[in-house]
Amino acid sequence: MIKACLNGSRAPGDHPALPLTPLELAEAAREAREAGASAVHTHPRDETGRESLSAAHIGAAVRAVRRACPGLPVGVSTGLWITGGDVDARRAAVLGWAGLSPQDRPDFASVNLAEPGFSDLWHHLRRLGVDVEAGVWSVDDADTLAGTGLECVRVLVEVVGGSADTAVSRAHAVLGRLDELAVPGPRLLHGEEEPAWILVDEAGHLGLATRIGLEDVLHSPEGGPVDGNADLVRLALARRV
């Protein structure tokens, strides 16, 4: 599995092909799917280009992607930064998704174990029929996930920050701890910025799912420019043959 992470928290102008509007996300998803992506992860935006968890913006983005890519699994972030660190505002926004038709709700949402309020959010998402991807950034997060007993559709082993030289060892520490604690669920390994391509390769060596897209990296493995998300997906698939 290669999941395309289409935009993340990137600012308008960070890349010429960065998709922000529902129609742009839909077109980027269609192109990524044609390039070989089997799912997409999005950060829907409001009318000013800022990330949003409101039902109106989540529903519009998911609806547009579904129309352009029938059957393609669509996911969103629930990163606490989207509500300025306000746990109650995040919960209220996600509860507002109940007003969306099931077709306009995402298939899955990522929930970061390092953020407060993750357990309640997890339960709210499942009641809405939205699967949860567990965002595990560290060995401590792996311990936290094991202690909850919560089940997820996927464990995202996310190497965030730090040096590229230590990315693989940090990833193995988290993966090893998850296995030691017998945490259920398939693993997806990825990194951001400098370690991104290193961990795409490592995921391939380990036979794990991975993700790539403009959220994670803006350049090719050689450091050159890329046309957009579909280009990144093609490059990632070529490295996994």
Side-chain angles (χ1 to χ4, degrees):
M1 174 188 181
I2 290 186
K3 179 170 61 175
C5 49
L6 301 179
N7 59 350
S9 300
R10 300 282 186 188
D14 280 355
H15 189 279
L18 184 73
L20 300 175
T21 69
L23 290 179
E24 290 170 349
L25 287 168
E27 179 62 12
R30 183 189 64 77
E31 292 174 349
R33 182 186 209 178
E34 291 177 353
S38 51
V40 293
H41 169 78
T42 68
H43 289 226
R45 307 298 181 102
D46 65 16
E47 292 74 16
T48 70
R50 295 181 62 181
E51 294 173 87
S52 173
L53 292 178
S54 78
H57 302 125
I58 294 290
V62 171
R63 188 181 313 119
V65 173
R66 287 235 167 90
R67 286 175 177 169
C69 309
L72 181 69
V74 183
V76 300
S77 174
T78 63
L80 190 56
W81 64 85
I82 299 175
T83 58
D86 189 328
V87 173
D88 292 336
R90 179 174 65 174
R91 181 177 62 250
V94 170
L95 288 174
W97 301 359
L100 296 171
S101 68
Q103 294 82 0
D104 290 348
R105 298 174 196 166
D107 294 291
F108 57 89
S110 59
V111 174
N112 298 319
L113 273 292
E115 295 174 349
F118 77 85
S119 181
D120 286 344
L121 181 65
W122 196 305
H123 289 297
H124 292 320
L125 288 165
R126 293 302 303 123
R127 292 188 194 104
L128 290 167
V130 178
D131 285 326
V132 173
E133 293 184 312
V136 175
W137 298 350
S138 65
V139 170
D140 286 345
D141 287 353
D143 290 341
T144 299
L145 178 58
T148 67
L150 295 169
E151 295 185 2
C152 60
V153 68
R154 196 173 300 112
V155 180
L156 306 181
V157 177
E158 306 185 85
V159 177
V160 179
S163 167
D165 294 338
T166 63
V168 171
S169 62
R170 286 185 289 148
H172 277 269
V174 176
L175 289 165
R177 187 60 172 162
L178 290 167
D179 289 345
E180 180 182 348
L181 297 171
V183 174
R187 282 47 161 154
L188 184 152
L189 173 63
H190 81 99
E192 298 178 348
E193 305 303 349
E194 191 178 359
W197 287 112
I198 293 169
L199 293 177
V200 165
D201 290 345
E202 189 63 20
H205 295 328
L206 297 174
L208 299 178
T210 191
R211 82 175 199 186
I212 199 70
L214 293 175
E215 173 174 353
D216 285 353
V217 68
L218 300 176
H219 57 77
S220 73
E222 294 73 32
V226 293
D227 293 335
N229 286 292
D231 200 9
L232 290 168
V233 170
R234 282 189 289 267
L235 288 167
L237 281 170
R239 298 174 73 82
R240 291 170 71 88
V241 173

